[in-house]
Amino acid sequence: MIARYQTPEMAALWSPEHRFRVWAEVERLALEAWEGLGAVPAGVAERLARALPAGDFEPEFSERVAAIEAETHHDVVAFVRALAERSGDAAVRRYLHYGLTSSDVVDTAQNRLLAEALDLVLAELEDLLAALADLAVRYKHTPAVGRTHGVHAEPTAFGLRFLSFYAAAQRDRERLRRAREAVATAVVSGSVGNYAHTPPEVEAHVAGRLGLVPE
């Protein structure tokens, strides 16, 4: 989005630092699931968690990922290497990205970000609906010239026009809610997406912790 049209909240949501934070959370939750299945030693996910910032990553982390990507020509490989470096933990280095393929991380995180973005839009829409309802009531007895084919027609109420906008916005809200429900999926199914190396239990665990549903 062009910067001048962004809200601060939406700009922060789609920043590389926040995106990498969500990628890291997918990695952490996958390790947590593998621990529960006995494939990864207990405590590895917690060790990774200790290496993560409380909020978004700092710009220096994004710069490190970019530097590694310039060598590897692969965004997720660069991210995993930078995250392993940051942890400084041998167990995390060994098991990070265990059983995952790149799209497991990228697609699941992207869907989480899209759901967050729609939450921001829906919150703003509630304010718009409230404003339109107020205007519709305030001006319900205010006469306005009706128009048809570009000329004056029967008089109408100015508030009725706001009421029409309100009704349309209500329909838009339902469409946005359905869009959020449709996009809020986790895709953690391993190489080629057939669960051969990553059982559905891992996907279910990651999805549940991120507020998503398994694909």
Side-chain angles (χ1 to χ4, degrees), residues 10-82:
M10 196 67 80
L13 176 66
W14 292 106
S15 69
E17 291 72 30
H18 185 65
R19 173 165 53 90
F20 288 143
R21 184 63 177 82
V22 181
W23 283 16
E25 189 63 10
V26 173
E27 295 279 2
R28 186 191 70 80
L29 290 170
L31 284 173
E32 199 173 78
W34 282 117
E35 287 181 23
L37 294 171
V40 170
V44 175
E46 177 57 31
R47 293 179 193 177
L48 175 59
R50 287 197 293 267
L52 301 179
D56 295 341
F57 280 106
E58 61 281 352
E60 289 77 12
F61 182 80
S62 298
E63 292 168 5
R64 179 57 181 152
V65 173
I68 299 173
E69 187 177 354
E71 301 172 4
T72 63
H73 305 291
H74 196 290
D75 55 348
V76 178
V77 169
F79 165 76
V80 170
R81 287 189 184 178

Side-chain angles (χ1 to χ4, degrees), residues 126-162:
E126 290 300 324
D127 292 340
L128 175 62
L129 282 163
L132 289 171
D134 176 71
L135 291 168
V137 173
R138 189 188 313 173
Y139 295 110
K140 69 178 181 178
H141 295 306
T142 301
V145 175
R147 292 180 178 275
T148 181
H149 295 283
V151 299
H152 290 182
E154 288 83 352
T156 187
F158 196 47
L160 182 60
R161 291 175 175 167
F162 287 115

Side-chain angles (χ1 to χ4, degrees), residues 65-151:
V65 173
I68 299 173
E69 187 177 354
E71 301 172 4
T72 63
H73 305 291
H74 196 290
D75 55 348
V76 178
V77 169
F79 165 76
V80 170
R81 287 189 184 178
L83 192 58
E85 286 179 4
R86 183 188 180 97
S87 74
D89 187 288
V92 171
R93 287 173 180 266
R94 178 177 179 180
Y95 290 103
L96 186 62
H97 206 64
Y98 182 85
L100 303 179
T101 195
S102 296
S103 61
D104 290 338
V105 177
V106 174
D107 292 354
T108 299
Q110 180 81 352
N111 288 352
R112 173 61 193 177
L113 291 170
L114 286 169
E116 290 184 38
L118 283 167
D119 287 340
L120 291 174
V121 174
L122 283 162
E124 294 286 345
L125 185 55
E126 290 300 324
D127 292 340
L128 175 62
L129 282 163
L132 289 171
D134 176 71
L135 291 168
V137 173
R138 189 188 313 173
Y139 295 110
K140 69 178 181 178
H141 295 306
T142 301
V145 175
R147 292 180 178 275
T148 181
H149 295 283
V151 299

